[in-house]
Amino acid sequence: MKPYLIGICLVLLISACARSEPAPWNGPKLSWPRDQLTVAQLQADELLPLIDMSYFAKPAWATEAAHHFSGSVSFVETALTFPKNRAAYAGEDIFPAFSVDLIAHEGTLIPVQTGPIVAGGQRNSFWDVIVGPGRVWQEETDDEWSRASLPLSMIDRYMGQVRNCVAAFTYQPDTISNIYLQCSQETADFNDNSGGDLRVMLAESVYQPTNFLNAEQVIAEHIQHQARRLAVLPLNTIDPDGHIGAYFNKSLWTNASTSLGAVVVGEQIYLHPPRTRHGVYPYPNEMRHGVWSVTKSMAGALALFYLAERYGDAVFDELVTAYVPALADHSAWQGVTFAHTLNMATGTEGSEAAEHLLNILVLARTAEESINNIARLGDYPESPGEQYNYASTNLFVLSYAMQSYVEEQEGPGVYYWDLVHENVLKPIGAEYFTLRHTLESDGSQGLPILAYGAMPTLDEAAKIAVLMANEGEYKGQQLLSREKVREALGRSDWAGYATDERGVTYRHSFRSRLVRISNLCTVDVHYMLGYGANLVLLLPDDVVVLRFMDEFDFALDDLTRRVAKQIPLCR
């Protein structure tokens, strides 16, 4: 596998600039009667051409599905059509074998499995999947068949890249057609030539009708989860002149570079239409986004802030060597605290180069393999807490240390991420927030990697960002340490760490820099940043901006000024 690089790298930027821009998509959109994804096409084995995403959506002329759907759909490994400018990695061009249970209710097709579906012992494929709620309906020209579509995210087992796909099929009470799947948007390693459209006709899928005993519970939980989502309005509601929308629409290398562009004001989301390379994605609220190192703030800081609220802020000063046996006698790790790992100030050997990341953490599968690899790294001249040095391995050390710390406090087998899930994510309505974990050979629960691997939806990303902006408070309840969140957001006397980016400060995994809005106004922008220019901006007056992409547009100042044109940030 070619090395994945998480940090911002000039060499990669130069290589990106050498690419030529493809032609915009001008294909036809769905109209009546449909001419793509017809019943006949879905019963044939022939691969369809790339089509507009509107063909996967429920059209205005649709009626209620003629047949109920409740059962398990099983897939076999199938070769993917995946054109790219390099050879495929092992399994990268194979759709995985897995099964998913689905229940239709009032026109919605609800997956029973809400989290990642790991393709079990079938390891020939590079991918796992997350299936989101879709739709069922009837069209006049479908005769005796009902129709369904589903958002399906293909996620890799290494870094947490995400392919936003949609699957479509027709069905009768005891059978389904072939399933056609198309992926026209992703957050992937753009400079590794990992982007590109995927297609597959899944001709050997099997439908087993089943009346699930827990169907009422599954439906009730789905309805409750949907009801708790933040309200979503079009971005042009607050951006009538299109200043912010023009930024999200910028054409870089794929003509659909931004997989998510939104502004959150209070608890109201203003969403820019999620363009793919073939039209607007039909399930915007179900899209997942591989946000790379945004994970360090969205999950790593979140977890340590929660532990500080649960056990006291002194947890930041706990020594790593007391909780990580593999590092207990390592000279480089003596005196390193939990806070040092979160702040990239451990003074230990590390970087985002392959010898410090790919070979140490990315390719490792289990927690012990990962931590033992890290233990083989040496020392740097700086003492703990003396100097910022960005290394993703620090966050996995923190994950391992937090797990040991929680087991010492709560007892063996208590997982810190379960506590975060139960006491932070569930209360704010982000209980399906997904992270990459280590893959333990004995099937036991893995540890969150924390350095990368978060795959949030729009709603989850917004809720976590709003929680941070509100200093860890949710509806009158303090979920995170207020003092530590305030430190992260520059609301205390602590200056944080100078970085290797001019004018940028690092505090508890959050970057901060001043942005000049006008001659009379400068605002302090605090932000989460991930590879490819994934951004979560925390602006004054609790305004949050989400922009997820993989094409390296770091024009943070421009984005902030465009938001300030529509929402007063200077008072």
Side-chain angles (χ1 to χ4, degrees):
M1 180 185 300
K2 185 175 178 179
Y4 288 88
L5 302 179
I6 308 303
I8 303 163
C9 177
L10 181 60
V11 173
L12 294 183
L13 291 176
I14 292 171
S15 69
C17 293
R19 292 176 172 84
S20 59
E21 185 178 316
W25 169 249
N26 291 313
K29 295 183 179 180
L30 174 64
S31 60
W32 192 89
R34 72 166 52 243
D35 60 348
Q36 295 287 358
L37 297 180
T38 64
V39 170
Q41 287 174 327
L42 289 171
Q43 291 178 337
D45 291 344
E46 294 182 7
L47 186 67
L48 299 180
L50 289 165
I51 58 177
D52 194 271
M53 282 288 156
S54 59
Y55 282 95
F56 294 88
K58 179 182 177 181
W61 62 80
T63 59
E64 183 178 346
H67 310 104
H68 182 58
F69 194 101
S70 177
S72 179
V73 178
S74 298
F75 302 85
V76 299
E77 290 187 348
T78 307
L80 288 164
T81 298
F82 183 15
K84 52 194 172 299
N85 298 321
R86 59 164 173 77
Y89 299 137
E92 192 180 20
D93 52 0
I94 298 176
F95 188 81
F98 68 96
S99 296
V100 60
D101 300 329
L102 301 164
I103 303 171
H105 175 73
E106 296 183 351
T108 298
L109 191 56
I110 305 169
V112 176
Q113 296 93 334
T114 57
I117 301 174
V118 179
Q122 303 296 323
R123 292 296 178 185
N124 293 322
S125 176
F126 186 77
W127 308 100
D128 295 326
V129 299
I130 303 175
V131 179
R135 301 287 290 170
V136 294
W137 67 91
Q138 184 87 23
E139 295 183 21
E140 183 180 344
T141 55
D142 288 344
D143 297 325
E144 299 301 316
W145 294 84
S146 293
R147 182 173 290 272
S149 77
L150 283 167
L152 186 148
S153 300
M154 293 173 55
I155 58 177
D156 81 274
R157 294 199 185 101
Y158 292 91
M159 297 294 294
Q161 63 169 298
V162 178
R163 309 278 168 170
N164 286 304
C165 314
V166 191
F169 61 93
T170 56
Y171 68 94
Q172 293 183 351
D174 58 356
T175 189
I176 62 173
S177 67
N178 298 331
I179 299 175
Y180 180 69
L181 178 133
Q182 178 175 309
C183 314
S184 294
Q185 177 60 278
E186 69 279 324
T187 36
D189 190 348
F190 181 71
N191 282 297
D192 190 39
N193 290 305
S194 290
D197 304 311
L198 287 79
R199 291 176 292 152
V200 63
M201 184 69 81
L202 299 163
E204 299 181 52
S205 306
V206 176
Y207 173 50
Q208 180 63 51
T210 305
N211 291 318
F212 297 103
L213 296 178
N214 63 338
E216 290 186 4
Q217 178 184 349
V218 169
I219 293 168
E221 289 177 353
H222 169 78
I223 293 172
Q224 182 183 39
H225 180 75
Q226 296 292 315
R228 295 193 63 196
R229 282 183 164 173
L230 300 179
V232 180
L233 293 175
L235 178 63
N236 60 21
T237 305
I238 60 168
D239 185 38
D241 300 326
H243 291 296
I244 307 171
Y247 180 91
F248 293 141
N249 273 342
K250 278 193 299 185
S251 182
L252 296 176
W253 310 111
T254 66
N255 287 306
S257 59
T258 299
S259 64
L260 172 61
V263 178
V264 187
V265 183
E267 294 190 353
Q268 174 71 63
I269 299 174
Y270 298 93
L271 176 65
H272 189 62
R275 296 194 309 159
T276 75
R277 288 181 291 277
H278 304 97
V280 176
Y281 193 79
Y283 296 102
N285 293 328
E286 309 305 332
M287 289 180 82
R288 292 193 175 268
H289 309 275
V291 297
W292 307 93
S293 288
V294 166
T295 308
K296 294 175 172 71
S297 314
M298 193 172 281
L302 183 82
L304 191 53
F305 292 163
Y306 168 68
L307 264 59
E309 178 62 22
R310 185 180 183 95
Y311 304 114
D313 288 348
V315 69
F316 268 64
D317 300 321
E318 291 287 342
L319 293 173
V320 165
T321 51
Y323 298 97
V324 184
L327 302 178
D329 298 323
H330 196 304
S331 59
W333 287 90
Q334 303 307 306
V336 176
T337 65
F338 287 18
H340 292 146
T341 63
L342 189 62
N343 283 286
M344 300 295 177
T346 62
T348 62
E349 180 185 356
S351 73
E352 299 301 274
E355 63 269 22
H356 290 147
L357 179 57
L358 176 77
N359 301 333
I360 299 296
L361 187 57
V362 174
L363 296 181
R365 301 289 78 191
T366 69
E368 291 304 321
E369 182 183 0
S370 299
I371 205 68
N372 287 329
N373 286 347
I374 293 170
R376 290 200 294 270
L377 297 177
D379 199 359
Y380 278 170
E382 297 78 21
S383 299
E386 185 175 344
Q387 183 173 313
Y388 165 91
N389 178 56
Y390 194 90
S392 287
T393 46
N394 289 332
L395 267 290
F396 184 74
V397 171
L398 176 61
S399 184
Y400 195 106
M402 286 194 293
Q403 178 57 35
S404 298
Y405 178 88
V406 164
E407 290 200 50
E408 184 175 286
Q409 301 295 319
E410 309 283 346
V414 178
Y415 285 84
Y416 81 85
W417 192 252
D418 289 346
L419 296 179
V420 173
H421 177 266
E422 189 67 26
N423 297 288
V424 179
L425 297 175
K426 283 183 68 174
I428 68 173
E431 61 267 35
Y432 301 151
F433 178 63
T434 297
L435 280 177
R436 265 296 176 211
H437 290 62
T438 59
L439 298 173
E440 302 304 317
S441 55
D442 61 0
S444 62
Q445 184 170 332
L447 292 183
I449 296 169
L450 291 189
Y452 48 80
M455 294 166 273
T457 62
L458 164 66
D459 190 68
E460 292 161 355
K463 284 175 174 174
I464 293 173
V466 168
L467 179 65
M468 296 292 188
N470 291 335
E471 299 180 354
E473 182 179 330
Y474 178 75
K475 294 188 175 180
Q477 183 180 1
Q478 196 66 38
L479 304 182
L480 310 176
S481 165
R482 184 182 297 276
E483 179 59 30
K484 293 304 178 183
V485 178
R486 286 181 58 82
E487 289 177 358
L489 301 184
R491 300 174 186 175
S492 73
D493 294 333
W494 181 50
Y497 291 90
T499 71
D500 46 11
E501 304 166 62
R502 192 173 75 173
V504 176
T505 300
Y506 203 78
R507 301 182 186 94
H508 300 334
S509 80
F510 287 76
R511 288 173 171 82
S512 176
R513 60 176 293 183
L514 293 174
V515 174
R516 182 171 296 280
I517 303 300
S518 68
N519 290 334
L520 300 176
C521 173
T522 301
V523 299
D524 200 357
V525 180
H526 307 278
Y527 57 103
M528 312 178 195
L529 175 65
Y531 179 74
N534 287 282
L535 286 170
V536 179
L537 308 184
L538 280 69
L539 303 178
D541 295 331
D542 296 339
V543 175
V544 170
V545 182
L546 306 172
R547 199 285 307 276
F548 297 150
M549 70 175 327
D550 54 16
E551 297 185 24
F552 303 98
D553 176 20
F554 293 97
L556 182 153
D557 291 28
D558 182 25
L559 176 55
T560 303
R561 292 189 191 105
R562 288 172 183 263
V563 172
K565 282 182 177 291
Q566 311 294 20
I567 304 171
L569 300 179
C570 303
R571 301 184 186 277

